[in-house]
Amino acid sequence: METDEKTSARTSYHHGDLRAQLLEATRQLVEEKGPDRFSVSEACRRAGVSTAAPYKHFKDKEEMLHHIALAGMERQRQQMLEELSLCSAGTLDRVVAMGRVYIRFARAEPGVFRLMFGLSEDHADHCDMVQLGDDTFTVVQSEVAKCHGRDTIIESDVNEAFLLWSFVHGLSFLLIDGKLKDAKVPFDLETTLREVAERVVGTEISGG
Amino acid sequence: METDEKTSARTSYHHGDLRAQLLEATRQLVEEKGPDRFSVSEACRRAGVSTAAPYKHFKDKEEMLHHIALAGMERQRQQMLEELSLCSAGTLDRVVAMGRVYIRFARAEPGVFRLMFGLSEDHADHCDMVQLGDDTFTVVQSEVAKCHGRDTIIESDVNEAFLLWSFVHGLSFLLIDGKLKDAKVPFDLETTLREVAERVVGTEISGG
DNA sequence: TCTTGCATGTTAGCATCTCTAACATATGTT
DNA sequence: AACATATGTTAGAGATGCTAACATGCAAGA
């Protein structure tokens, strides 16, 4: 007499798992249609509830998208940490791995990736996103420091990490925007990542 | 008996300059509220016409935004060419200048910049934007080639130009997204640009 | 067990938005 | 002057975000 299958229509008045299912529908729609074309109504349709239901769980549309963006950042971070665990400590492999995962995530989930960054600039308002972003950036800095045989991060590590981040971030956007036709830039991603990492981490760039 | 001032309410039935004024209102709103929060209605209010008026000039909202994005690309390109004209030929200064203008534009018009890139990926559908983007990218490649003393672009120039573009593009986004607190990355932009350009253009990076 | 409170659904409805249809007005051509 | 065309208007359909008021089911204590 409880709820039916999660996939089909429910039998009871209450849903049982609406919050999670709304978030999943939101994530899917952001991916399918892009963050700007997402609508709460359609997520409701997909979850099989009325259009007023979400507002028992979320303040507004923005909060729903915020959850998706934050979850995306956590997923990306987690994938980085997994990949890191496969590389031996203090090697450039680890820096390359983080870049590879960053770009892989952007290509695998361009909608969510765009949501994490490209959209409105009020991300800075949400301290949880800022915090998580900072944490991940700190990991990069730490890896850079370890490449230099240090355990504490100094300013040059921050600068190098930031150069790497900028590059990888920009490349991610150019790739998912389709600005880089394969014909136009016939590069090998892994090779490029490694060479950039070598140039940046291998050489001191004062930067201010 | 003709139209009144452009700034105030009009006296005649017809507007006289609606298309241009709608585009200007659109540009302003994209800048003020962000591309995702722009509404045609508000542009109409600002231009002092009914909400049906724009559809005599544009197919739909998307076409209006498309014009703004394209105009932004042209503006950015123009600024690059101006800055280029101040540098002597074949120098790294020219490459640095293009990057500087790229980032300056992103910071000066973050709304339009986001519209040019961050939004939906259907930019690839509009061949005029693709064409203009390619043209500008070709200029970068050409400048890189000239730094190497060549007049024709070879594959390594394409790769180097693409590395520079990725970096500058990513940095632009990180800056306008507020991901880089000044406290977090205390770098000097000009110095950084130059050092990156030196590292990239100065050194052969095969990349594929 | 009853009942009462709270969480979580529903329907109804308002305000806003995009876009179209039908109509109105100015302009320029013949 | 008559007419075609360009460009404005109002009216309204359909979608959306969100709220208010109501309904339903679960859970905990009298």
Side-chain angles (χ1 to χ4, degrees):
Chain A
M1 296 302 174
E2 308 307 325
T3 59
D4 227 14
E5 302 305 314
K6 288 178 183 176
T7 52
S8 68
R10 67 189 193 282
T11 58
S12 77
Y13 186 86
H14 285 298
H15 188 287
D17 193 29
L18 181 55
R19 185 188 159 90
Q21 238 168 287
L22 276 175
L23 284 176
E24 175 56 18
T26 299
R27 192 195 60 75
Q28 285 177 17
L29 284 168
V30 163
E31 214 48 71
E32 291 172 20
K33 314 208 156 195
D36 45 331
R37 294 202 222 284
F38 161 75
S39 85
V40 178
S41 310
E42 194 150 2
C44 291
R45 254 171 261 137
R46 205 162 278 202
V49 293
S50 73
T51 61
Y55 301 96
K56 301 291 178 181
H57 298 275
F58 307 98
K59 174 170 165 284
D60 53 14
K61 175 180 181 174
E62 203 180 329
E63 189 179 299
M64 297 175 70
L65 289 174
H66 173 67
H67 276 276
I68 299 306
L70 192 64
M73 292 182 70
E74 280 162 356
R75 217 157 40 241
Q76 191 187 38
R77 177 190 168 87
Q78 203 52 44
Q79 290 175 15
M80 281 186 181
L81 296 181
E82 283 171 18
E83 199 85 356
L84 274 186
S85 72
L86 303 177
C87 311
S88 47
T91 63
L92 205 61
D93 288 352
R94 296 171 71 87
V95 172
V96 171
M98 292 192 79
R100 183 172 51 238
V101 171
Y102 197 97
I103 291 171
R104 190 185 67 195
F105 181 88
R107 298 173 104 168
E109 309 190 33
V112 173
F113 183 79
R114 243 185 266 275
L115 183 65
M116 285 158 54
F117 297 100
L119 222 59
S120 46
E121 62 276 15
D122 49 4
H123 285 174
D125 303 346
H126 297 284
C127 51
D128 49 359
M129 288 192 63
V130 173
Q131 183 63 47
L132 188 51
D134 282 6
D135 285 356
T136 304
F137 187 40
T138 302
V139 175
V140 182
Q141 295 168 22
S142 166
E143 291 300 332
V144 169
K146 281 182 205 152
C147 282
H148 290 300
R150 256 180 273 106
D151 256 350
T152 58
I153 297 166
I154 68 173
E155 191 176 307
S156 71
D157 300 326
V158 178
N159 279 323
E160 289 170 14
F162 135 77
L163 291 180
L164 292 169
W165 188 18
S166 291
F167 169 71
V168 161
H169 188 65
L171 177 51
S172 296
F173 263 112
L174 293 179
L175 284 171
I176 67 179
D177 273 336
K179 303 287 185 190
L180 299 176
K181 305 290 178 192
D182 287 325
K184 207 185 301 179
V185 180
F187 67 99
D188 175 63
L189 184 57
E190 189 68 19
T191 307
T192 302
L193 274 177
R194 175 159 295 278
E195 290 187 336
V196 167
E198 282 170 1
R199 295 298 185 286
V200 171
V201 179
T203 314
E204 287 299 318
I205 292 192
S206 66
Chain B
M1 297 301 175
E2 307 308 324
T3 59
D4 225 16
E5 302 304 314
K6 287 179 184 175
T7 52
S8 67
R10 67 190 193 280
T11 58
S12 77
Y13 187 86
H14 285 298
H15 188 287
D17 193 30
L18 182 55
R19 185 190 160 90
Q21 239 168 286
L22 276 175
L23 284 176
E24 174 57 17
T26 299
R27 192 194 60 75
Q28 286 177 15
L29 285 168
V30 163
E31 214 48 71
E32 291 171 22
K33 315 210 156 193
D36 45 333
R37 295 202 221 285
F38 161 75
S39 86
V40 178
S41 309
E42 193 150 3
C44 290
R45 255 171 260 136
R46 204 162 278 204
V49 293
S50 73
T51 61
Y55 301 95
K56 300 292 178 182
H57 298 274
F58 307 98
K59 175 169 163 285
D60 54 14
K61 175 181 181 174
E62 203 179 329
E63 189 179 300
M64 296 174 71
L65 289 174
H66 173 68
H67 276 276
I68 299 305
L70 192 64
M73 293 182 70
E74 280 163 356
R75 218 157 40 241
Q76 191 187 37
R77 177 189 168 87
Q78 202 52 45
Q79 290 174 15
M80 281 185 181
L81 297 180
E82 282 172 19
E83 199 86 356
L84 274 185
S85 72
L86 303 177
C87 312
S88 48
T91 63
L92 205 60
D93 289 352
R94 295 170 73 86
V95 172
V96 171
M98 292 192 80
R100 182 171 52 237
V101 171
Y102 197 97
I103 292 171
R104 189 185 67 193
F105 181 87
R107 298 174 104 169
E109 308 191 33
V112 174
F113 183 79
R114 242 184 265 275
L115 183 66
M116 284 157 54
F117 298 99
L119 222 60
S120 45
E121 62 275 16
D122 49 3
H123 285 174
D125 302 347
H126 297 284
C127 50
D128 48 0
M129 288 192 63
V130 173
Q131 183 63 48
L132 189 51
D134 283 6
D135 286 355
T136 302
F137 187 39
T138 302
V139 175
V140 183
Q141 295 168 22
S142 167
E143 291 300 330
V144 168
K146 281 182 204 151
C147 282
H148 290 301
R150 255 179 273 105
D151 255 350
T152 58
I153 297 166
I154 67 174
E155 191 176 308
S156 71
D157 300 326
V158 178
N159 279 321
E160 290 170 14
F162 135 77
L163 291 180
L164 292 170
W165 187 18
S166 292
F167 170 71
V168 160
H169 189 65
L171 177 51
S172 296
F173 264 112
L174 294 179
L175 283 172
I176 67 179
D177 273 337
K179 303 287 184 191
L180 299 176
K181 307 289 177 192
D182 288 324
K184 206 186 302 178
V185 180
F187 67 97
D188 175 64
L189 183 58
E190 190 67 19
T191 307
T192 303
L193 275 176
R194 176 159 295 277
E195 290 187 337
V196 167
E198 281 170 1
R199 295 298 185 286
V200 172
V201 179
T203 314
E204 286 301 317
I205 293 193
S206 67

